[in-house]
Coordinates of all heavy atoms in Angstrom, one line a residue:
D1 N 96.0 101.9 109.4 CA 95.4 102.9 108.6 C 93.9 102.8 108.6 O 93.4 101.7 108.5 CB 96.0 102.8 107.1 CG 95.5 103.9 106.3 OD1 94.5 103.8 105.7 OD2 96.3 104.8 106.1
R2 N 93.2 104.0 108.5 CA 91.8 104.0 108.5 C 91.1 103.3 107.3 O 90.0 102.8 107.2 CB 91.2 105.3 108.8 CG 91.4 106.2 107.5 CD 90.9 107.7 107.9 NE 91.1 108.6 106.8 CZ 92.2 109.3 106.5 NH1 93.3 109.0 107.2 NH2 92.3 110.2 105.5
H3 N 92.0 103.2 106.2 CA 91.4 102.7 104.9 C 91.7 101.1 104.9 O 91.1 100.4 104.0 CB 92.2 103.3 103.8 CG 92.1 104.8 103.7 ND1 91.0 105.4 103.2 CD2 92.9 105.7 104.0 CE1 91.1 106.7 103.2 NE2 92.4 107.0 103.8
T4 N 92.4 100.6 105.8 CA 92.7 99.2 105.8 C 91.5 98.4 106.4 O 90.9 98.7 107.4 CB 93.9 98.9 106.7 OG1 95.0 99.5 106.2 CG2 94.2 97.4 106.8
K5 N 91.2 97.4 105.7 CA 90.0 96.4 106.1 C 90.6 95.0 106.3 O 90.6 94.2 105.4 CB 88.9 96.5 105.2 CG 88.2 97.8 105.0 CD 87.1 97.9 104.0 CE 86.5 99.3 104.0 NZ 85.3 99.3 102.9
A6 N 91.1 94.8 107.5 CA 91.7 93.5 107.9 C 91.0 92.9 109.1 O 90.2 93.7 109.8 CB 93.2 93.7 108.1
A7 N 91.2 91.7 109.3 CA 90.6 91.0 110.5 C 90.9 91.8 111.8 O 90.0 92.0 112.6 CB 91.1 89.6 110.6
S8 N 92.1 92.3 111.9 CA 92.4 92.9 113.2 C 91.7 94.3 113.4 O 91.5 94.7 114.5 CB 93.9 93.3 113.2 OG 94.3 94.2 112.2
E9 N 91.2 94.8 112.3 CA 90.5 96.1 112.3 C 89.0 96.0 112.7 O 88.3 96.9 112.8 CB 90.6 96.9 111.0 CG 92.0 97.4 110.7 CD 92.4 98.5 111.6 OE1 91.6 99.0 112.4 OE2 93.7 98.8 111.7
K10 N 88.6 94.7 113.0 CA 87.2 94.5 113.4 C 87.0 95.0 114.9 O 86.0 95.2 115.4 CB 86.8 92.9 113.3 CG 86.7 92.5 111.9 CD 86.3 91.0 111.9 CE 86.2 90.5 110.5 NZ 85.9 89.0 110.4
H11 N 88.2 95.2 115.6 CA 88.3 95.6 117.0 C 89.2 96.8 117.1 O 90.3 96.7 117.6 CB 88.7 94.4 117.9 CG 87.8 93.2 117.7 ND1 86.6 93.1 118.1 CD2 88.0 92.1 117.0 CE1 86.0 91.9 117.9 NE2 86.9 91.2 117.2
P12 N 88.8 98.0 116.7 CA 89.7 99.2 116.8 C 89.8 99.6 118.2 O 89.0 99.2 119.1 CB 88.9 100.2 116.0 CG 87.4 99.8 116.0 CD 87.4 98.2 116.0
Y13 N 90.8 100.3 118.5 CA 90.9 101.0 119.9 C 89.9 102.0 120.1 O 89.2 102.5 119.2 CB 92.4 101.6 119.9 CG 93.5 100.7 119.8 CD1 94.5 100.9 118.8 CD2 93.7 99.5 120.6 CE1 95.6 100.0 118.6 CE2 94.8 98.7 120.5 CZ 95.7 98.9 119.5 OH 96.8 98.1 119.3
H14 N 89.8 102.4 121.4 CA 88.9 103.5 121.7 C 89.7 104.7 122.2 O 90.8 104.4 122.8 CB 88.0 103.1 122.9 CG 87.0 102.0 122.5 ND1 85.8 101.7 123.3 CD2 86.9 101.1 121.5 CE1 85.2 100.7 122.7 NE2 85.7 100.4 121.6
I15 N 89.3 105.8 122.0 CA 90.0 107.0 122.5 C 88.9 108.1 122.9 O 87.9 108.3 122.1 CB 91.0 107.5 121.6 CG1 91.9 108.7 122.2 CG2 90.4 107.9 120.2 CD1 93.0 109.1 121.4
T16 N 89.1 108.7 124.0 CA 88.1 109.8 124.5 C 88.6 111.1 124.0 O 89.7 111.5 124.3 CB 88.0 109.7 126.0 OG1 87.8 108.4 126.5 CG2 86.8 110.5 126.4
L17 N 87.8 111.8 123.3 CA 88.2 113.2 122.7 C 87.2 114.2 123.2 O 86.0 114.0 123.0 CB 88.3 113.1 121.2 CG 89.1 112.1 120.6 CD1 89.0 112.1 119.1 CD2 90.6 112.4 121.0
L18 N 87.6 115.4 123.7 CA 86.7 116.5 124.2 C 87.1 117.8 123.4 O 88.3 118.0 123.3 CB 86.9 116.7 125.6 CG 86.5 115.5 126.6 CD1 86.8 115.8 128.0 CD2 85.1 115.0 126.3
A19 N 86.2 118.5 123.0 CA 86.5 119.8 122.4 C 86.6 120.8 123.5 O 85.8 121.1 124.4 CB 85.3 120.2 121.5
K20 N 87.8 121.7 123.5 CA 88.0 122.7 124.5 C 87.7 124.0 123.9 O 87.6 125.0 124.7 CB 89.4 122.5 124.9 CG 90.5 122.8 124.0 CD 91.9 122.7 124.6 CE 93.0 123.0 123.6 NZ 94.3 122.9 124.2
N21 N 87.3 124.2 122.7 CA 86.9 125.5 122.0 C 86.2 125.2 120.8 O 86.0 124.0 120.3 CB 88.2 126.3 121.8 CG 89.3 125.6 121.1 OD1 89.1 124.9 120.2 ND2 90.6 126.0 121.5
N22 N 85.9 126.2 120.0 CA 85.2 126.0 118.8 C 86.0 125.3 117.7 O 85.4 124.6 116.9 CB 84.6 127.4 118.3 CG 83.5 127.3 117.3 OD1 82.6 126.6 117.6 ND2 83.7 128.0 116.2
T23 N 87.3 125.6 117.7 CA 88.1 124.9 116.7 C 88.1 123.4 117.0 O 88.0 122.6 116.1 CB 89.6 125.5 116.9 OG1 89.6 126.8 116.5 CG2 90.5 124.7 115.9
G24 N 88.1 123.1 118.3 CA 88.1 121.7 118.6 C 86.8 121.0 118.3 O 86.7 119.9 117.8
Y25 N 85.7 121.8 118.4 CA 84.4 121.2 118.0 C 84.3 121.0 116.5 O 83.8 119.9 116.1 CB 83.3 122.2 118.4 CG 81.9 121.9 118.1 CD1 81.3 120.6 118.5 CD2 81.1 122.7 117.2 CE1 80.1 120.2 118.1 CE2 79.9 122.3 116.8 CZ 79.3 121.1 117.1 OH 78.1 120.7 116.7
K26 N 84.8 121.9 115.8 CA 84.8 121.8 114.3 C 85.7 120.5 113.9 O 85.3 119.8 113.0 CB 85.3 123.0 113.6 CG 84.3 124.2 113.7 CD 84.9 125.5 113.0 CE 83.9 126.6 113.1 NZ 84.4 127.8 112.5
N27 N 86.8 120.4 114.6 CA 87.7 119.3 114.3 C 87.0 117.9 114.7 O 87.1 116.9 114.0 CB 89.0 119.4 115.0 CG 89.9 120.2 114.2 OD1 89.9 120.2 113.0 ND2 90.8 121.1 114.8
L28 N 86.2 117.9 115.7 CA 85.5 116.7 116.1 C 84.5 116.4 115.0 O 84.3 115.1 114.7 CB 84.8 116.9 117.5 CG 85.6 116.8 118.7 CD1 84.6 116.9 119.9 CD2 86.3 115.5 118.9
L29 N 83.8 117.3 114.5 CA 82.9 117.2 113.4 C 83.6 116.5 112.2 O 83.0 115.6 111.6 CB 82.1 118.4 113.0 CG 81.2 119.1 114.0 CD1 80.8 120.4 113.6 CD2 79.9 118.1 114.3

């Protein structure tokens, strides 16, 4: 959970996200 602050969360995963339209851009923001 993004609200959790535990030792394991010092190293979050990475994920690549691209906006394919204006809705996607707003969601990225």
